[in-house]
């Protein structure tokens, strides 16, 4: 039954995962999140502490506090925000990472990480009304426009710019996510324009009409990268499905929902393994799996996509029940831990707990919970 599965998932996320990360995964004096944790809930130093990880944790706890006003989580927000702006915003731009001793490691500005500045600060502002977040979001937006825009459209991977570098759709997808959150928090028309620009890039370059796939890797002029251009990720197809429907609420256009529905068909026909879960990677020409392993985040994106797709109620509930059962059986572990990777046969791989993954787990479960609350209890309890 869906109700039972949702109750288990709600407890896992809110009472176990977030609770344990708030206790063990946040430095008590300095307020930053550890990059990685062992399965014993101990810090697992990996030689770097990324801006990305800090922003994903700030986003997750800020969003969680909007759902459940938990005092011990609320007190984490401003120290984490202060740590981010004091350690990663240098010379009027965002740097990529620190060493384990908190000295600067990598001074590049990374488009993927910057996307999560926008997402995290939007939700931090909604949770706290701290006006500083809005100021940094504006600075971030302007830096992207002034320094990382490509003449051929979209953004370069990093600054200082290397125009020979392989370009990816992934940072653009997360920039879209960040700008959607920024617009929802501020109603700023600059962010709405950025949303439209990113969607235009997706329609023009990321979607490959002949194979009906979302391509990942490109040259500077948006031609497919000769070595990796055939590799596609079902999880990103599903992530775009959810994002396209979110963007469509802001700037309605049937092109966006048409694209979402095509990406859904490709991902569900070719990306779902017969023994459950979502493949990491498939070939865009043959649709056969290239990487049969199953990281946790693609199935959380499948959950999000199910909630927005215009499916019949019975199909939607069946898909949610099946996916949640798989997550609970193969990924979720006692005490808020999880398996980050599964092998092709669904056996777990030995791997620590990345500080970036709770963002995926939290949002996947939260979107299903949000969708389910719109239904009368009787409509889900009888399945």
């Amino acid at each position: 039954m869906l109700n039972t599965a949702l109750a288990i998932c709600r407890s896992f996320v809110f009472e176990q995962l977030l609770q344990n990360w708030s206790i063990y995964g946040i430095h008590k004096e300095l307020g930053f999140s550890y990059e990685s944790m062992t399965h014993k809930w101990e810090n697992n130093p990996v030689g770097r502490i990324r801006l990305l990880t800090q922003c994903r944790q700030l986003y997750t706890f800020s969003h969680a506090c909007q759902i459940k006003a938990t005092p011990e989580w609320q007190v984490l927000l401003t120290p984490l925000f202060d740590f981010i702006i004091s350690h990663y915003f240098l010379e009027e731009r965002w740097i990529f990472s620190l060493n384990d001793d908190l000295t600067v490691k990598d001074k590049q500005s990374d488009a993927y990480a910057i996307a999560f500045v926008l997402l995290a600060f939007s939700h931090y502002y909604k949770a706290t009304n701290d006006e500083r977040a809005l100021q940094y979001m504006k600075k971030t937006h302007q830096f992207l426009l002034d320094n990382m825009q490509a003449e051929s459209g979209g953004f370069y991977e990093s600054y200082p710019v290397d125009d020979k570098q392989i370009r990816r759709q992934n940072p653009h997808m997360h920039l879209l996510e960040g700008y959607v959150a920024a617009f929802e928090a501020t109603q700023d028309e600059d962010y709405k324009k950025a949303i439209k620009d990113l969607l235009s890039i997706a329609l023009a370059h990321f979607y490959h009409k002949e194979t009906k796939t979302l391509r990942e890797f490109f040259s500077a002029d948006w031609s497919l990268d000769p070595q990796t251009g055939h590799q596609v990720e079902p999880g990103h197809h599903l992530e775009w499905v959810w994002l396209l429907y979110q963007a469509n609420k802001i700037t309605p256009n049937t092109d966006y929902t048409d694209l979402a529905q095509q990406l859904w068909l490709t991902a569900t026909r070719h990306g779902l393994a017969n023994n459950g879960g979502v493949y990491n990677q498939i070939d865009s020409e043959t649709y056969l799996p290239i990487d049969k392993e199953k990281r946790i985040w693609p199935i959380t994106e499948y959950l999000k996509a199910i909630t927005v797709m215009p499916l019949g109620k019975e199909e939607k509930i069946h898909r949610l029940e099946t996916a949640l059962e798989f997550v609970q059986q193969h990924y979720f572990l006692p005490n808020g831990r999880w398996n980050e990777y599964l092998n092709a046969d669904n056996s777990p791989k030995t791997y620590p707990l990345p500080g970036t993954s709770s963002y995926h787990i939290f949002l996947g479960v939260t979107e299903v919970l949000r969708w389910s609350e719109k239904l009368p209890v009787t409509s889900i309890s009888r399945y």
Side-chain angles (χ1 to χ4, degrees):
M1 283 173 44
L2 186 57
N3 274 345
T4 301
L6 286 174
I8 293 171
C9 288
R10 184 196 296 267
S11 173
F12 177 85
V13 170
F14 285 90
E15 297 171 20
Q16 299 174 57
L17 192 166
L18 293 183
Q19 190 64 14
N20 277 314
W21 204 283
S22 72
I23 295 170
Y24 303 110
I26 305 293
H27 192 287
K28 289 181 171 54
E29 287 77 35
L30 300 178
F32 69 92
S33 173
Y34 297 127
E35 181 74 20
S36 174
M37 300 291 287
T38 71
H39 281 253
K40 294 180 180 180
W41 286 111
E42 296 170 344
N43 182 23
N44 176 47
V46 296
R48 65 179 185 179
I49 300 172
R50 292 173 293 172
L51 171 64
L52 171 66
T53 304
Q54 305 310 307
C55 288
R56 284 195 174 185
Q57 289 293 334
L58 179 61
Y59 156 75
T60 301
F61 280 106
S62 295
H63 193 167
C65 286
Q66 295 170 58
I67 297 168
K68 182 181 179 183
T70 305
E72 58 263 41
W73 299 349
Q74 290 173 319
V75 299
L76 302 175
L77 300 184
T78 297
L80 181 49
F81 175 81
D82 287 343
F83 183 88
I84 292 170
I85 62 174
S86 62
H87 286 77
Y88 293 94
F89 196 72
L90 304 179
E91 300 171 0
E92 292 300 301
R93 65 182 181 89
W94 298 105
I95 65 165
F96 183 75
S97 63
L98 307 176
N99 292 298
D100 287 331
D101 65 2
L102 305 186
T103 58
V104 172
K105 180 179 180 69
D106 186 339
K107 293 185 71 173
Q108 285 191 102
S109 296
D110 179 72
Y112 187 98
I114 286 173
F116 283 93
V117 171
L118 294 171
L119 179 68
F121 284 21
S122 298
H123 279 273
Y124 171 72
Y125 172 71
K126 289 168 76 172
T128 64
N129 291 316
D130 188 338
E131 296 278 344
R132 294 178 299 163
L134 302 182
Q135 297 165 15
Y136 278 98
M137 287 160 63
K138 273 293 187 185
K139 289 181 179 182
T140 302
H141 173 60
Q142 199 59 50
F143 179 82
L144 282 167
L145 295 182
D146 292 345
N147 298 282
M148 297 185 70
Q149 278 195 112
E151 291 182 6
S152 56
F155 297 94
Y156 287 110
E157 294 283 309
S158 58
Y159 176 87
V161 168
D162 174 6
D163 59 11
K164 301 293 191 296
Q165 193 174 50
I166 291 175
R167 301 182 68 188
R168 297 178 299 154
Q169 72 77 22
N170 200 15
H172 296 82
M173 177 183 71
H174 284 296
L175 282 167
L176 174 61
E177 180 183 29
Y179 277 117
V180 166
F183 180 79
E184 289 175 344
T186 65
Q187 301 297 301
D188 189 316
E189 289 294 319
D190 288 345
Y191 301 146
K192 190 176 195 177
K193 181 182 184 304
I195 291 168
K196 291 180 177 180
D197 290 345
L198 287 162
L199 290 168
S200 296
I201 291 288
L203 289 164
H205 300 300
F206 302 155
Y207 180 59
H208 191 261
K209 294 180 181 178
E210 288 75 17
T211 59
K212 297 179 170 55
T213 56
L214 180 81
R215 297 305 176 96
E216 298 280 347
F217 304 109
F218 303 87
S219 301
D221 63 356
W222 291 120
S223 59
L224 290 172
D225 179 71
Q227 279 74 48
T228 57
H230 67 290
Q231 300 172 5
V232 300
E233 299 189 21
H236 284 156
H237 285 62
L238 296 164
E239 199 162 2
W240 269 99
V241 169
W242 183 79
L243 276 171
L244 286 161
Y245 274 96
Q246 305 314 305
N248 194 62
K249 297 174 187 176
I250 296 169
T251 173
N253 186 329
T254 55
D255 287 345
Y256 308 154
T257 51
D258 288 347
L259 176 58
Q261 290 174 41
Q262 188 55 66
L263 295 178
W264 165 267
L265 290 174
T266 298
T268 54
R269 285 173 178 171
H270 306 293
L272 303 184
N274 289 335
N275 63 342
V278 183
Y279 291 128
N280 282 350
Q281 198 173 77
I282 64 173
D283 187 286
S284 60
E285 302 295 332
T286 66
Y287 304 107
L288 296 175
I290 297 172
D291 180 356
K292 291 186 178 182
E293 290 185 0
K294 304 161 188 177
R295 199 167 182 178
I296 191 171
W297 70 261
I299 199 165
T300 67
E301 298 306 329
Y302 179 46
L303 291 172
K304 289 161 58 182
I306 295 169
T307 66
V308 296
M309 278 295 295
L311 307 171
K313 184 174 68 177
E314 291 190 30
E315 180 184 354
K316 187 167 290 203
I317 290 173
H318 174 70
R319 286 184 180 273
L320 287 171
E321 287 180 333
T322 302
L324 289 171
E325 181 182 358
F326 188 87
V327 167
Q328 290 164 15
Q329 181 178 353
H330 295 288
Y331 289 107
F332 288 177
L333 300 173
N335 202 26
R337 301 169 299 117
W338 66 91
N339 291 316
E340 183 69 17
Y341 286 92
L342 303 180
N343 293 303
D345 65 358
N346 296 333
S347 60
K349 298 186 72 172
T350 301
Y351 203 82
L353 308 176
T356 52
S357 290
S358 51
Y359 144 80
H360 286 290
I361 299 167
F362 166 81
L363 187 52
V365 169
T366 297
E367 283 302 290
V368 181
L369 291 170
R370 185 167 71 166
W371 170 82
S372 69
E373 289 170 359
K374 296 178 181 178
L375 292 178
V377 173
T378 53
S379 69
I380 57 175
S381 61
R382 60 191 177 89
Y383 287 97

